[in-house]
Amino acid sequence: MQHIPILRAGRTYRSLNTVTVPHIKTGEPLVDVSQANRGLIAKDLIDIPLHQQTLKQFSVKGLVSICKDAARHFTSSDLPLDDTIQSPEVYIKQLSGTTGMPEALCRQNMEKIRGVLENIDVVLDGLTRGLDLKILDDGWGKQNGRILSYVCETNSLGAILPSNSPGVHSLWIPAFALKVPLVLKPGREEPWTPYRIAQAFIAAGAPMEAFSFYPTDYSGANEILVRTGRSMLFGGGSTVAPWVNDPRVEIHGPGRSKIIIHQDTISNIGDYLDLIVESVSKNGGRSCINASGVWVTAQGRDTAEAITERLSQIQPKPLDHPEAGIAAWANPKAAHGISSLIDRQIKQPGAVELTKGDRVVELDGCTFLRPTVIWCEDSEHPLANTEFPFPFVSISEVPVSQLVESIGETLVATVITDNTRLIQELLETPLIDRLNIGPIPTNQISWDSPHEGNLFEHLYRQRAFQQDKLLK
């Protein structure tokens, strides 16, 4: 059986304590993953400042070049996986086998990661707002007639990672080019991608000390969050709640992303169905940037029925089907649990389910949740502003005067309107992290404009700097 080791500053380590992850279809053991206890993590992280010094010996330009070469290795090379070799195709099958992500979507996510690696210079330009990156090499420099200085506020970036989608790993990649070592805790069902990215970097000439990989439990994850100067945490509301007010931790929690359509365009709803369907269902609906709500100011029920008709065309398919677009659930009990939760909440007044067919579908040895549509007559119904990790969308109708205050916290909002006053109100609200004006899918990401936080500002701080001319 395949084994995935711990990486202790890039060096493989096999633990006596392992977790076995089964194949989602057969239930047979697919991989044993070595587990790091919190004591081992604490011991290793004592030396993390030394690993950062190794990384600082490289220029940002040199690290950018390594990233671009790593893009090729990640998608095309046979890379080490413990004492075996993992080809790109084997990676896709193993990834699909434990996460339930269709192979076609695994390939799409693989290309997304390749794109970030290959275009890392564009990514950094966006994160730093055009900063001359040589300033990070020297500690200070002149740009546009100004003297600028930046200081790194951490010796490492910890990342507590999810299992929902491989594409999220593109979010921590820029830390390497910014000279910050990585301490990665993978999701239980998705150890494959962060391990492969690390091996792609090492194959491209990156110092192995820049990558630590610790599959671990809750206490080990907390150890990483406590001991790394900066970190990012992915998870549901209860997971991220204890860390929300800790500035050292960048939170990636529920997105509750939305599409907002004003009545001046609602008569042309058919023109926007492709946009809505893509926003809701792309990547199997597993991402925080998938739309989970459509908010309109008129014709809400008609809009909901039109969306239902389109989403009902997306059917579960075997994971190796080239057109598969819905992910299976690694834990069938979780799928049934979410379905039961929706059933209980739909019994409360103010919401009507429009989904066609049974929500839970058993197919080819896997459990799926069919795309689900809820028409919320009451915009304060519990299902009006919630999300689940599958194609789920609620449609709510509110007067335009109440729209901004009704939508709640929103990671990505796409607004379709010609109403300048509404646009201005949305621009002014702090509830929206990323605002798309016009028919832009919520899942469409620009490399030079992060949708959640800014990793450069999380890792670096601009400081006041003066230098006596005699010391130049």
Side-chain angles (χ1 to χ4, degrees):
M1 182 169 51
Q2 183 68 64
H3 173 257
I4 296 179
I6 296 165
L7 291 180
R8 304 176 69 182
R11 292 170 175 79
T12 60
Y13 177 83
R14 183 182 286 256
S15 172
L16 294 177
N17 181 23
T18 64
V19 167
T20 300
V21 184
H23 194 286
I24 193 170
K25 286 174 59 175
T26 66
E28 295 296 320
L30 178 58
V31 60
D32 269 345
V33 185
S34 277
Q35 300 294 294
N37 61 48
R38 63 183 303 177
L40 181 142
I41 294 170
K43 179 177 182 295
D44 284 359
L45 293 186
I46 292 173
D47 293 329
I48 201 74
L50 300 176
H51 307 325
Q52 186 180 38
Q53 290 304 315
T54 299
L55 201 52
K56 282 184 175 180
Q57 294 175 16
F58 292 77
S59 67
V60 174
K61 183 178 180 180
L63 296 178
V64 165
S65 178
I66 290 174
C67 286
K68 291 177 178 288
D69 197 24
R72 175 178 59 84
H73 286 292
F74 180 70
T75 54
S76 304
S77 295
D78 294 343
L79 296 173
L81 184 60
D82 195 28
D83 55 0
T84 63
I85 295 296
Q86 184 192 59
S87 69
E89 280 304 312
V90 168
Y91 158 70
I92 292 294
K93 290 189 177 299
Q94 290 172 329
L95 176 62
S96 177
T98 57
T99 65
M101 183 76 73
E103 293 180 13
L105 297 187
C106 291
R107 291 189 180 90
Q108 290 178 17
N109 280 272
M110 192 179 195
E111 283 301 306
K112 177 181 179 180
I113 293 168
R114 181 199 61 79
V116 169
L117 287 164
E118 199 168 72
N119 296 276
I120 193 67
D121 45 355
V122 180
V123 174
L124 294 179
D125 189 66
L127 291 174
T128 65
R129 297 176 174 86
L131 181 71
D132 179 355
L133 296 178
K134 194 173 184 301
I135 291 173
L136 302 184
D137 295 331
D138 299 335
W140 73 281
K142 291 183 178 180
Q143 186 171 1
N144 299 325
R146 300 171 59 209
I147 295 178
L148 300 173
S149 177
Y150 284 85
V151 59
C152 186
E153 296 198 285
T154 182
N155 53 34
S156 58
L157 175 70
I160 310 303
L161 300 166
S163 293
N164 62 314
S165 173
V168 302
H169 300 295
S170 61
L171 296 176
W172 54 260
I173 283 174
F176 169 81
L178 293 169
K179 305 189 179 188
V180 178
L182 288 146
V183 181
L184 308 173
K185 186 269 179 192
R188 182 182 183 279
E189 288 85 22
E190 219 287 72
W192 311 101
T193 304
Y195 191 92
R196 184 172 176 84
I197 293 174
Q199 294 300 329
F201 268 116
I202 294 169
M208 66 172 58
E209 294 90 342
F211 301 96
S212 294
F213 174 84
Y214 296 115
T216 188
D217 58 12
Y218 178 81
S219 65
N222 281 348
E223 197 71 27
I224 292 172
L225 291 171
V226 168
R227 291 186 177 271
T228 52
R230 290 293 184 272
S231 57
M232 52 174 57
L233 171 62
F234 296 80
S238 60
T239 299
V240 304
W243 304 93
V244 166
N245 296 317
D246 190 332
R248 302 175 307 111
V249 182
E250 183 179 88
I251 299 297
H252 295 261
R256 301 185 180 90
S257 298
K258 300 174 179 69
I259 295 173
I260 299 167
I261 306 177
H262 187 244
Q263 62 192 27
D264 54 8
T265 52
I266 200 67
S267 60
N268 302 318
I269 188 64
D271 296 339
Y272 305 111
L273 286 176
D274 287 344
L275 164 77
I276 295 170
V277 169
E278 177 177 346
S279 297
V280 171
S281 65
K282 191 74 171 181
N283 203 39
R286 283 193 167 189
S287 303
C288 56
I289 54 176
N290 283 116
S292 56
V294 176
W295 291 69
V296 299
T297 58
Q299 301 182 38
R301 178 64 184 252
D302 292 343
T303 300
E305 290 178 349
I307 294 171
T308 301
E309 187 62 36
R310 287 293 305 275
L311 284 175
S312 67
Q313 299 172 21
I314 303 176
Q315 297 292 329
K317 292 180 172 61
L319 298 182
D320 58 358
H321 193 288
E323 297 179 1
I326 303 177
W329 286 73
N331 183 355
K333 291 183 179 179
H336 286 278
I338 285 179
S339 184
S340 297
L341 173 62
I342 295 172
D343 287 338
R344 290 195 300 272
Q345 292 188 337
I346 204 70
K347 292 178 181 179
Q348 299 183 35
V352 178
E353 180 164 13
L354 303 180
T355 310
K356 294 186 176 182
D358 295 333
R359 189 183 303 119
V360 180
V361 178
E362 305 289 343
L363 175 70
D364 195 35
C366 296
T367 301
F368 298 85
L369 289 180
R370 192 190 302 275
T372 297
V373 183
I374 308 294
W375 158 233
C376 289
E377 300 168 305
D378 179 0
S379 63
E380 295 185 2
H381 191 278
L383 292 175
N385 202 356
T386 191
E387 71 175 18
F388 298 106
F390 75 103
F392 171 92
V393 62
S394 60
I395 296 86
S396 303
E397 179 180 332
V398 295
V400 66
S401 60
Q402 301 174 18
L403 183 58
V404 175
E405 67 182 55
S406 298
I407 61 175
E409 292 188 2
T410 302
L411 180 59
V412 183
T414 287
V415 56
I416 301 171
T417 183
D418 294 324
N419 187 304
T420 55
R421 181 175 178 178
L422 175 58
I423 291 173
Q424 189 60 39
E425 289 180 358
L426 291 168
L427 285 168
E428 292 174 357
T429 180
L431 295 174
I432 299 173
D433 281 2
R434 182 186 184 105
L435 180 62
N436 298 328
I437 305 295
I440 302 169
T442 60
N443 61 289
Q444 181 175 311
I445 297 300
S446 174
W447 285 322
D448 62 353
S449 182
H451 69 275
E452 189 171 22
N454 183 307
L455 185 58
F456 175 69
E457 294 175 356
H458 190 49
L459 300 176
Y460 279 80
R461 171 176 57 86
Q462 185 177 0
R463 62 181 169 191
F465 181 83
Q466 298 181 85
Q467 183 182 43
D468 189 279
K469 61 183 179 180
L470 296 177
L471 299 178
K472 291 183 181 178

